[in-house]
Every structure is written in structure tokens, then in C-alpha cells.
Amino acid sequence: MKTILISILLTLTVTVNAQKCENCKEVLLQTTAGDIRLKLYNETPLHRDNFLKLVNLHVYDSLLFHRVIKDFMIQCGDPKSKNAEPGAFLGEGDLDWTVEQELRLPQIFHRRGVLAAAREPDSDNPYRESSACHFYLAWGKTFTDAELDKMQQRLDTLYGYRVKLTPEMRETYKTVGGIPHLDGGYTVFGEIVEGLDVVEKIQQTATDKNDRPLEDVRILKAIALDSQSADKAKKPSAATKRPAAKAGSRSAQRKPSGSRTR
């Protein structure tokens, strides 16, 4: 199976450009670095329901953040990472289905602090369907107008002028930060409500040549919150069934194009 990869205003709670969402489902990730509370978007129901299904089946309990790139993102979801030996290459584990892409541009995009789905590259995945279980939390960087102009040219080349950085998106990328080159290629389906400081800490951790943290960072438990427990958490502290991909080389890893661009 091919490896699944992804090719400043900061507070404990993400409030900038947050999606307005009534009755949104929430998930708490209890990690070795601290708690991260996520809100799942109703605008992306296939990804929302798939993620909740895996959380309720305890798929994410004990999994590692197996790929971490500073100023880019942190990634989790390889089932093989649960009992992985130190230094072992990770990212090839997956479940045997994919999730249909749910792009919701320009309202939902890759600003800092969003939750998105990893997938195989376009060469193996022309419909850009998401992995069943791999997800990433976006960090990124802030951009200048000139950098965003170049980014728009890149998006025009990739997607035939279908993806446009709106004035709101540009302002967010200039002030809050994010990963604009992933817009149009990867589904964003939620956001961090609390714990952005935890993501900041994780994305700064030292890693090996495969971007795996030298010291394991693990999800101890993922918990689906009901409305009552979500309110408490705010205080102190669908899928398409498809055959699994065959094994492939590391050069064909699932990641967003240009994922190592800083």
C-alpha cells in the first residue's frame, strides 16, 4: 500500500474565520502533548460521518502523529503506527475504502487550524478521493501579496483556473496563515476549537529523515463529544467502498504536491 501523506495570530481557541455551525459534532483528541478539540463541519457530511465512525470504533486510540513538518502540518491515521518500533517507516497503513472529495471553496479552505483528509497522489487517485483514516491538522505560514500572486498562478496551472483565492482567503493567509497550495486538492472537513497551542508544539518537534518525530507523539484516546460533554470541554481545560491500493515505493507517497514547500 502506498504511503499516505499530504504532497501569525495564535490563541488557545481558534476564532478567526471560524465556520459558523449549529449543532456541529465535536471530537476530543487526548494526546501525549495535550488535548485538541475539533469541530466537524456539516457542509462535509461524508467526511464528518466517516471520522465519527472511526472515533467511535476507537480506530485512532494509541495512533501516532507519524508525519510532522514544521510550518506545514501534523498527520495521523496509520493503523500500523499503534505498535510501531522506534524509527520504523510509517504511512503505508490504511483501511479498505476511500471517501469522495467534498470541496467547499471559497468558504472552507486551508487556513491555519483546520482538519483535512490526506490521500494518494493524483497519478494513482484521479478523483482525489480521501483516505479512509489519514487526516492532518494544518499549520502553514503567513504569506505576502507577492507570494499569494505566485500561489494563484500555481493553482491556475494545477486546476485550470477553477480555484481562486478570494480577497477574504488572501487576507487570512496574510494574517493568520495556512497552506493555500492545498486548496482545491484536499478536503477540509473541520477545525480546531481548542488546542492550537498543542499543534504548534507538535509541529516544532524534532523528526527523522521520514518526518517521523524522534520522540513519539500519540493520540491516547479520541472521544466523540455530545452537546453536554462538548460544553464541559469548552471550560477549563459515507464513504465509498473501494479496493485498497497495492504496495508501492516511498517515492509515490500520498502527499499534496509541493508539501515540503515552506
Side-chain angles (χ1 to χ4, degrees), residues 39-174:
K39 176 172 68 176
L40 308 181
Y41 296 151
N42 290 330
E43 295 90 338
T44 50
L46 299 179
H47 286 75
R48 176 200 63 200
D49 293 349
N50 183 71
F51 194 72
L52 286 172
K53 172 184 176 181
L54 299 182
V55 168
N56 289 326
L57 290 173
H58 305 287
V59 170
Y60 293 118
D61 295 1
S62 298
L63 296 195
L64 299 177
F65 283 97
H66 66 272
R67 183 170 183 252
V68 170
I69 299 179
K70 188 177 187 297
D71 297 329
F72 184 52
M73 58 89 228
I74 65 175
Q75 183 179 345
C76 182
D78 184 348
K80 296 180 179 179
S81 71
K82 182 175 293 188
N83 300 308
E85 294 293 329
F89 178 77
L90 296 171
E92 295 181 339
D94 199 4
L95 302 177
D96 62 349
W97 67 85
T98 57
V99 183
E100 182 180 345
Q101 187 182 67
E102 295 180 289
L103 299 182
R104 298 295 183 263
L105 293 168
Q107 292 78 16
I108 299 175
F109 55 96
H110 277 86
R111 60 178 176 79
R112 178 169 294 173
V114 296
L115 164 69
R119 63 174 177 81
E120 288 189 350
D122 292 359
S123 57
D124 300 303
N125 181 23
Y127 294 106
R128 303 190 179 103
E129 294 175 333
S130 301
S131 158
C133 53
H134 283 246
F135 69 88
Y136 59 97
L137 299 172
W139 187 259
K141 52 170 278 187
T142 55
F143 293 81
T144 65
D145 278 317
E147 288 173 327
L148 290 173
D149 290 342
K150 291 182 179 179
M151 192 65 65
Q152 183 63 71
Q153 294 175 1
R154 177 177 180 177
L155 292 171
D156 290 344
T157 300
L158 284 173
Y159 303 120
Y161 304 95
R162 292 191 302 272
V163 178
K164 293 298 182 183
L165 300 178
T166 64
E168 180 187 19
M169 293 167 69
R170 290 176 68 101
E171 184 63 24
T172 299
Y173 285 133
K174 289 191 295 181

Side-chain angles (χ1 to χ4, degrees), residues 30-45:
Q30 297 176 334
T31 83
T32 53
D35 289 353
I36 302 170
R37 187 161 63 91
L38 305 171
K39 176 172 68 176
L40 308 181
Y41 296 151
N42 290 330
E43 295 90 338
T44 50

Side-chain angles (χ1 to χ4, degrees), residues 5 66-69 87-89 206-214 250 253 260:
L5 302 175
H66 66 272
R67 183 170 183 252
V68 170
I69 299 179
F89 178 77
T207 59
D208 63 18
K209 64 181 181 180
N210 295 313
D211 300 315
R212 176 178 169 177
L214 297 178
R250 294 184 185 181
Q253 297 171 343
R260 297 179 185 272

Side-chain angles (χ1 to χ4, degrees), residues 194-234:
E194 291 182 357
L196 193 60
D197 58 324
V198 177
V199 177
E200 180 187 29
K201 179 168 60 176
I202 295 173
Q203 62 95 31
Q204 292 180 1
T205 192
T207 59
D208 63 18
K209 64 181 181 180
N210 295 313
D211 300 315
R212 176 178 169 177
L214 297 178
E215 183 175 347
D216 286 346
V217 183
R218 188 181 301 275
I219 294 177
L220 300 172
K221 190 172 185 180
I223 304 168
L225 302 176
D226 57 28
S227 58
Q228 184 175 3
S229 58
D231 287 340
K232 290 180 180 179
K234 294 177 185 177

